[in-house]
Amino acid sequence: MSAVPSPAPTPQEPVAPQELPQLVPDADEPCLRADAARNRARLLEAAARLVAERGADCVTMEAVAAAARVGKGTVFRRFGDRTGLLTALLDHSEKKFQAAFLAGPPPLGPGAPPAERLRAFGLAMIRRSADELELQLAAEPGADRRFTAPPRRVLRHHVTLLLREAVPDADCEILAHTLLAQLDPALIHHLTRQCGMPPERLESAWVDLVDRVTGRAPSC
């Protein structure tokens, strides 16, 4: 006689929104000396100019050091590596987006039903990627850090929380990974740049996916 399939995983207790990891720790920024803060700003300005003039692929630690007229070691000390530098360029955008979905107006922010918030979240992610795609791809962490990087953790926790409200009987942690895979910058690049799909098609597909996962009736 065949074994009875094990029941679906018991959903975890909801995590309060304030328990989400902060995107980029701000505590160390006030501790920067005035000259260190100026150097950091100058390096980021130089890196932003290089991205605008040559594209993110041409941004190297050496090129940024030369453009900012500082030693290469200064760039490495400040940002660690090229990914750290490019991630810092995305920092302002990341913080704005985090503030919007954690505390901004609905439907992206609190106050709307969870399915509506999931819809708005994905649409905002797709539109943001369309604006910053090259930089997002260049700042993509390596395989060993891809799912543990603070920005990725914040997004995943947020989606998990919304899923626990919308479909509490699901394995929401795994489902959050599944949903976020559709918003991956590399996939968006492939579909829009290599396959020629219009962003509107990706947006419609996201809304359809959320509706199917949450059991929400499609809107007219």
Side-chain angles (χ1 to χ4, degrees):
M1 186 171 180
S2 60
V4 177
S6 59
T10 303
Q12 297 183 14
E13 291 299 317
V15 179
Q18 61 266 30
E19 293 181 16
L20 285 169
Q22 292 301 303
L23 179 63
V24 178
D26 292 326
D28 63 337
E29 292 301 327
C31 299
L32 289 176
R33 301 190 315 273
D35 59 340
R38 283 193 297 270
N39 279 342
R40 184 178 191 277
R42 187 167 61 175
L43 291 169
L44 289 176
E45 288 171 7
R49 285 198 307 272
L50 289 173
V51 170
E53 294 169 1
R54 309 178 193 174
D57 287 345
C58 295
V59 176
T60 64
M61 305 295 267
E62 293 80 1
V64 171
R69 298 184 179 180
V70 300
K72 184 171 65 174
T74 300
V75 187
F76 279 97
R77 282 192 298 273
R78 180 63 257 180
F79 301 107
D81 56 19
R82 181 175 179 274
T83 296
L85 171 63
L86 295 174
T87 299
L89 279 177
L90 284 172
D91 177 57
H92 180 64
S93 173
E94 295 279 6
K95 286 181 178 177
K96 283 176 59 179
F97 186 56
Q98 183 185 11
F101 68 69
L102 289 181
L108 183 57
E116 286 188 23
R117 294 190 68 191
L118 275 172
R119 281 179 163 197
F121 173 84
L123 295 177
M125 284 277 289
I126 292 168
R127 292 163 188 169
R128 179 175 168 231
S129 288
D131 292 336
E132 303 175 343
L133 190 52
E134 189 176 355
L135 187 56
Q136 287 186 4
L137 291 174
E140 185 77 6
D144 60 332
R145 292 189 295 155
R146 187 173 190 186
F147 298 104
T148 59
R152 207 60 78 85
R153 291 175 56 216
V154 170
L155 300 179
R156 188 171 65 251
H157 276 277
H158 178 64
V159 172
T160 301
L161 289 175
L162 294 180
L163 287 170
R164 285 177 182 165
E165 291 184 60
V167 282
D169 58 338
D171 187 338
C172 295
E173 291 186 23
I174 295 296
L175 191 54
H177 280 284
T178 303
L179 291 182
L180 285 171
Q182 187 160 327
L183 304 174
D184 186 84
L187 178 61
I188 292 175
H189 174 269
H190 169 67
L191 295 176
T192 58
R193 304 282 179 85
Q194 297 177 329
C195 298
M197 291 185 188
E200 292 79 12
R201 182 174 174 185
L202 275 62
E203 293 176 12
S204 295
W206 171 259
V207 171
D208 180 63
L209 176 62
V210 170
D211 289 348
R212 291 174 187 275
V213 166
T214 61
R216 179 190 176 97
S219 58
C220 299

